[in-house]
Amino acid sequence: MTIRAIITAPDKRLKQVSKPVEKVDDALRALMDDMLETMYAAPGIGLAAVQIGVPKRVIVMDLAREGEEPEPVYFVNPEILSIDDSELRVYEEGCLSVPDFYEELERPAKCRLRYLDYQGEIREQDCEEMLATCIQHEMDHLEGVLFIDHISKLKRDRVLKRLLKERRLREKELA
Ligand code: NI
């Protein structure tokens, strides 16, 4: 397993729409293993393949709390079958591609999901609480959407400007 570099905003690669996976095979499982390793090392609770520069519809997640056994979950070609926006859930979201920025977002509290698992088996699941919030955040990545795309332009511009400035500083230090 290899820890891969996580792409941070602003970056055109994060705006790509990810392509469906044709087959869950050993190569894809190797990618999912790398993604999980990368996510744990960050550390984070969810990661989409596009965040390491692979525009495929693959997401890894682990919502176990600190001190609990790890519970890695893999979602290949996830599809939302139904979503109920009569009830919303507010959560202060963050993203490994938007370091050191957190903002409260409202998303539908429940959704029903279909996906392929690590073995390529079809699964359906009702999602609520953290899982509902997280899967919607990660599925946005598959469409090239970041959580900061849901906040005001003023706040988004401010955070992107800071990230760009930090990147230039790092590049200067390396030069
Ligand atoms: Ni994210």
Side-chain angles (χ1 to χ4, degrees):
M1 279 187 266
T2 315
I3 294 174
R4 312 269 201 108
I6 296 174
I7 298 169
T8 56
D11 193 306
K12 274 193 290 195
R13 290 172 291 174
L14 292 170
K15 299 270 173 198
Q16 303 173 82
V17 176
S18 294
K19 296 221 160 58
V21 169
E22 283 177 18
K23 199 170 154 217
V24 180
D25 54 12
D26 285 346
L28 192 82
R29 278 186 282 271
L31 170 71
M32 292 194 276
D33 292 345
D34 282 1
M35 286 171 63
L36 197 74
E37 191 83 348
T38 303
M39 181 190 84
Y40 284 146
I45 57 173
L47 186 75
V50 71
Q51 293 179 272
I52 57 165
V54 181
K56 290 186 180 172
R57 302 185 83 82
V58 181
I59 289 164
V60 298
M61 206 181 278
D62 190 333
L63 302 180
R65 284 170 216 275
E66 237 185 284
E68 289 179 355
E69 283 293 303
E71 275 175 44
V73 206
Y74 310 85
F75 302 93
V76 178
N77 295 345
E79 277 175 83
I80 290 184
L81 298 176
S82 59
I83 193 153
D84 173 8
D85 53 13
S86 63
E87 195 189 326
L88 298 174
R89 180 175 190 268
V90 180
Y91 186 72
E92 190 178 63
E93 295 189 22
C95 179
L96 294 176
S97 292
V98 188
D100 306 314
F101 180 76
Y102 302 88
E103 185 74 14
E104 280 193 347
L105 275 197
E106 267 187 346
R107 296 185 191 265
K110 290 174 187 166
C111 60
R112 184 163 177 82
L113 193 69
R114 182 195 287 151
Y115 62 96
L116 302 176
D117 66 13
Y118 192 79
Q119 304 302 337
E121 302 289 331
I122 296 185
R123 287 180 180 251
E124 284 191 18
Q125 190 172 4
D126 285 310
C127 306
E128 50 179 41
E129 313 256 330
M130 264 309 269
L131 178 57
T133 298
C134 234
I135 197 71
Q136 289 173 67
H137 173 117
E138 298 307 331
M139 285 182 70
D140 271 356
H141 278 298
L142 306 185
E143 304 306 321
V145 173
L146 297 174
F147 84 104
I148 52 171
D149 293 325
H150 297 296
I151 66 176
S152 75
K153 187 177 184 313
L154 187 76
K155 282 187 183 169
R156 180 169 58 251
D157 287 349
R158 202 188 294 152
V159 62
L160 289 174
K161 204 172 147 191
R162 169 177 63 81
L163 291 173
L164 210 53
K165 199 167 137 193
E166 287 172 0
R167 181 183 303 165
R168 291 211 181 102
L169 273 174
R170 271 198 311 274
E171 282 166 359
K172 218 185 248 174
E173 279 166 14
L174 290 173

